[in-house]
Amino acid sequence: MAETRVGDWLVDDTAPLGSGHFARVLPARRVRAEMDGHVEHRAVKIYHARGDAEQRRRALDEIRVQERLMGCPHAVAYVDAFIAPDGPFAGCLVQVMELGDRSLGHHLDVVGPLPAYDAAAALAGVAEALEHVHGRGLVHADLKPGNVVRCRGLWKIADFNVATALRETVAPDLGGTPSYMSPQRLAAVAGGRREVRPADDAWALGVVLAQCLLGGLPSYVTEPRAEEASRLAGQLLDALAARGTDPRAAGLVRELLAAEPAD
């Protein structure tokens, strides 16, 4: 293990927990000498925002969102934020957060389809977290198995880098993952409106629930068209019926993937 110091933390840059053009997330530890050498383990998110005012603003917005969600038991907990003072990440904005042991996406890759009870147990807290997010005037906007993380036995929502605040009933769409976008959201993208609503998070939850029950998606959305989301929803419902999925679980997926957001 090769560790690099970032502030008070030692991070393992060779074993990223997640990585993208916006930031990377690394496992980190801190030895507390004042606590008899107690070692804290956390995740450190290092933003690639040096010299880019817009990226830095986005990073700060994400940190502010995490601060607003402190106390929500099913959102990955915010711990601290600072600017790295020196070393290879000098000048980068850094967020310290709760460390998970695996993502829901990785879990499905390992164990395959989940029984209806296990899927419900995994996502009940995620649904509660979404209610918490929406109650604070926010939309997560990128719910998917890779952004659901298990922390001390609880599944929690992570990665708020495209979460955004509602302006009355609509929030600006900063991006996301097309396969988890609703027909209405994809239609807005195609029309250049870039709008996202709390109901779009509910649609994403329906796709994630179906993915848990099936072990994967039958296909992916590759074009920003409403018809693509409707096609995937139909495939998911057909696959659940063919598998003989618990009717209550399948019915919940059907409700979450309702054609009308009001439903």
Side-chain angles (χ1 to χ4, degrees):
M1 180 173 66
E3 291 183 316
T4 303
R5 181 168 292 280
V6 180
D8 293 337
W9 297 89
L10 292 171
V11 304
D12 182 2
D13 198 21
T14 66
L17 302 169
S19 184
H21 75 280
F22 186 60
R24 76 179 90 176
V25 182
L26 304 171
R29 66 186 183 92
R30 176 171 66 173
V31 179
R32 302 292 298 272
E34 75 280 13
M35 296 174 62
D36 298 326
H38 171 70
V39 180
E40 291 181 83
H41 294 275
R42 298 287 186 268
V44 163
K45 187 167 191 174
I46 301 173
Y47 297 91
H48 311 313
R50 283 182 290 201
D52 187 324
E54 176 59 20
Q55 289 286 68
R56 182 171 288 262
R57 183 193 64 77
R58 289 273 305 276
L60 288 169
D61 283 348
E62 179 179 3
I63 290 169
R64 292 187 186 105
V65 166
Q66 297 260 187
E67 289 175 331
R68 288 170 70 174
L69 296 176
M70 289 176 69
C72 175
H74 292 281
V76 169
Y78 165 85
V79 176
D80 191 15
F82 60 92
I83 295 175
D86 48 32
F89 303 111
C92 289
L93 192 61
V94 178
Q95 182 188 169
V96 183
M97 67 191 85
E98 189 175 16
L99 177 65
D101 58 17
R102 66 168 48 180
S103 72
L104 182 57
H106 176 62
H107 186 66
L108 293 175
D109 288 342
V110 172
V111 306
L114 301 181
Y117 179 86
D118 291 343
L123 294 182
V126 172
E128 180 182 322
L130 285 180
E131 186 174 35
H132 197 96
V133 167
H134 298 159
R136 278 154 180 74
L138 301 164
V139 183
H140 183 276
D142 197 20
L143 182 67
K144 57 185 178 182
N147 287 341
V148 177
V149 178
R150 189 174 65 188
C151 302
R152 292 174 294 175
L154 295 179
W155 291 103
K156 303 187 178 191
I157 295 180
D159 201 344
F160 292 84
N161 72 60
V162 297
T164 184
L166 286 164
R167 298 169 183 170
E168 296 184 354
T169 61
V170 178
D173 189 345
L174 302 179
T177 306
S179 295
Y180 301 88
M181 291 184 179
S182 70
Q184 292 76 20
R185 186 177 176 188
L186 285 173
V189 170
R193 296 193 305 277
R194 310 294 300 184
E195 298 172 347
V196 61
R197 296 168 170 80
D200 297 315
D201 280 344
W203 177 280
L205 182 63
V207 177
V208 173
L209 175 56
Q211 188 170 351
C212 287
L213 295 166
L214 296 171
L217 296 180
S219 68
Y220 297 90
V221 171
T222 57
E223 299 178 35
R225 295 193 297 122
E227 295 82 359
E228 285 286 290
S230 298
R231 173 190 58 78
L232 176 58
Q235 289 180 342
L236 291 171
L237 292 171
D238 288 346
L240 292 172
R243 186 181 286 270
T245 301
D246 180 288
R248 293 168 298 178
L252 180 55
V253 172
R254 184 173 292 104
E255 289 182 21
L256 289 166
L257 299 182
E260 290 298 323
D263 296 336

